[in-house]
Amino acid sequence: MIKALCSEGAYRNDERVHRAASWLKSHQLFGPRTDLAQYISDLPDGGFSFEYDNPWYPDVDDSAAVALSLLDQDPNAFEKFPLIRATEFILAMQNADGGWSAFDRNSNPVWLHKSPFNDMDNLCDPSTADVTGRVLELCGLVIQHANAAAGCPPPDLIAKARRAASRAIPLLASQQEADGSWWGRWGINYVFGTCNAISGLALFAEMERNGPITAMIKRGAAFLARVQHVDGGWGESYATYDLPPAQPGSGPSLPSPTAWAILGLLAAGTACDDHTVSSGIHWLLREQTLGDGEGGLTWIERPHTGVGFPRKLYIGYKMYQNYFPMLALRRYMSVAAAQRVEDGRQVLHD
């Protein structure tokens, strides 16, 4: 929620946001207790765990989410200890194939999934596009801040981020589907995976200028545009994880997937006045409603959009229905303002 509130500079100085950031930092894991450190001897501490209180097992996905949130809240965070150590932990968890898993490193003997004692078809934790994309976004921001007047990361962290990114980008290229999408492990499904992959690749496409990374992003954005629903939203069903899978993008329009698609399209450079983007924004505005006795406005998301184990367990994260739409709307407003300054283009602003 910190990222949604602080995105594009909003609410950075709000006292409540500072308290939330302090709470996050107080839950950063240090010391020899983590299980990971027992078999990864060179693993730095400083990660964050998925659960409220789990000092034994920090994970990559949540650590990256926290790192990106801390940076949104404090643009100078890369020169401060909590973000430096969290980033070092994340980079050290890179798999041999160049990607990242959520909870483990080099846990990819997927043939074990065929064993009779397989745990919900998820005995292993191989590299996935959604986690890799999120970490690649962090790597891009480390590199982007290399020449910053304030908030510049340490030189060795910049070098590590460059090396990690050079290995991660080919992994994302190898995992892109024929239709331009990426499979989503921790959010349903191809819309989520594609949003994360594009967001991770975007900063590197800016450095590259019209090369293979740009082509990957264009194919991903084309997929997102192609699976938009006629009502302007996006959504996918659990059946997209079935074997054989249902059609990607098939399912009722929901707030989180709609926000994911908008974020992916904007990261890909799609203009705000593009019909795909503007109709998605209209869907979010139209679907916002009064909260249940808590005051303010909210979105309703009945089917779960988080994933525990594909085909076995799905998770309803209560804040998703507000967090992602808020982030998408804030990002849209920022991009729209920049476009108006750049060329006077008329975009949705009411």
Side-chain angles (χ1 to χ4, degrees):
M1 187 53 72
I2 290 175
K3 186 172 180 62
L5 290 170
C6 296
S7 178
E8 315 305 334
Y11 294 103
R12 278 178 180 161
N13 297 317
D14 189 289
E15 186 269 338
R16 291 163 295 184
V17 171
H18 279 274
R19 284 169 50 207
S22 296
W23 184 90
L24 280 178
K25 294 171 189 175
S26 72
H27 285 71
Q28 194 167 14
L29 300 178
F30 294 103
R33 293 183 294 170
T34 67
D35 287 358
L36 288 169
Q38 303 305 311
Y39 73 95
I40 306 176
S41 59
D42 60 343
L43 182 68
D45 50 14
F48 296 83
S49 63
F50 173 72
E51 298 85 358
Y52 286 113
D53 184 19
N54 182 0
W56 302 278
Y57 227 92
D59 74 273
V60 173
D61 198 24
D62 288 280
S63 296
V66 171
L68 292 169
S69 297
L70 292 177
L71 185 60
D72 269 331
Q73 190 270 326
D74 179 5
N76 297 327
F78 271 132
E79 63 184 14
K80 299 177 182 177
F81 182 76
L83 184 53
I84 292 172
R85 288 306 292 265
T87 305
E88 288 176 340
F89 163 78
I90 293 164
L91 296 181
M93 287 292 290
Q94 188 170 25
N95 293 326
D97 62 9
W100 280 269
S101 315
F103 292 95
D104 229 326
R105 190 172 81 174
N106 295 327
S107 175
N108 58 359
V110 293
W111 57 268
L112 288 173
H113 289 179
K114 300 182 183 298
S115 65
F117 51 84
N118 180 17
D119 183 8
M120 295 190 179
D121 297 332
N122 281 273
L123 198 60
C124 304
D125 190 20
S127 297
T128 60
D130 47 5
V131 179
T132 300
R134 179 169 287 169
V135 178
L136 189 60
E137 181 180 0
L138 179 63
C139 290
L141 290 169
V142 172
I143 297 167
Q144 188 182 60
H145 281 70
N147 298 316
C152 181
D156 63 324
L157 191 63
I158 297 169
K160 289 177 183 177
R162 291 187 190 278
R163 289 194 297 270
S166 69
R167 297 172 54 212
I169 292 170
L171 184 279
L172 284 181
S174 71
Q175 290 193 348
Q176 191 170 23
E177 305 284 345
D179 63 2
S181 68
W182 281 271
W183 185 76
R185 169 62 180 84
W186 299 101
I188 299 175
N189 176 349
Y190 293 95
V191 173
F192 179 75
T194 303
C195 167
N196 278 23
I198 290 176
S199 297
L201 291 167
L203 287 175
F204 295 92
E206 292 178 12
M207 304 173 198
E208 171 198 66
R209 296 189 182 279
N210 297 319
I213 299 175
T214 302
M216 291 164 59
I217 290 174
K218 287 182 177 178
R219 291 179 58 216
F223 163 80
L224 292 175
R226 196 164 54 247
V227 298
Q228 186 178 28
H229 299 165
V230 293
D231 62 3
W234 281 265
E236 286 186 278
S237 72
Y238 307 146
T240 56
Y241 288 107
D242 289 347
L243 299 174
Q247 182 70 25
S250 59
S253 294
L254 295 171
S256 293
T258 299
W260 296 336
I262 292 170
L263 289 166
L265 289 166
L266 292 176
T270 307
C272 286
D273 61 353
D274 183 276
H275 177 72
T276 307
V277 173
S278 61
S279 58
I281 293 293
H282 275 297
W283 189 93
L284 287 178
L285 297 177
R286 189 171 63 247
E287 293 297 319
Q288 196 175 34
T289 185
L290 289 172
D292 292 334
E294 299 177 1
L297 299 174
T298 187
W299 286 268
I300 303 299
E301 191 162 85
R302 298 296 186 198
H304 296 341
T305 55
V307 182
F309 302 105
R311 300 188 299 278
K312 306 293 184 179
L313 173 67
Y314 300 95
I315 304 173
Y317 295 108
K318 182 65 174 177
M319 299 305 292
Y320 269 25
Q321 65 193 39
N322 291 320
Y323 166 76
F324 286 110
M326 287 170 59
L327 187 59
L329 291 171
R330 178 70 64 182
R331 188 72 47 81
Y332 172 86
M333 291 170 63
S334 176
V335 173
Q339 288 180 355
R340 284 198 297 271
V341 170
E342 179 182 348
D343 59 13
R345 183 181 295 144
Q346 183 65 38
V347 296
L348 178 69
H349 58 78
D350 50 355

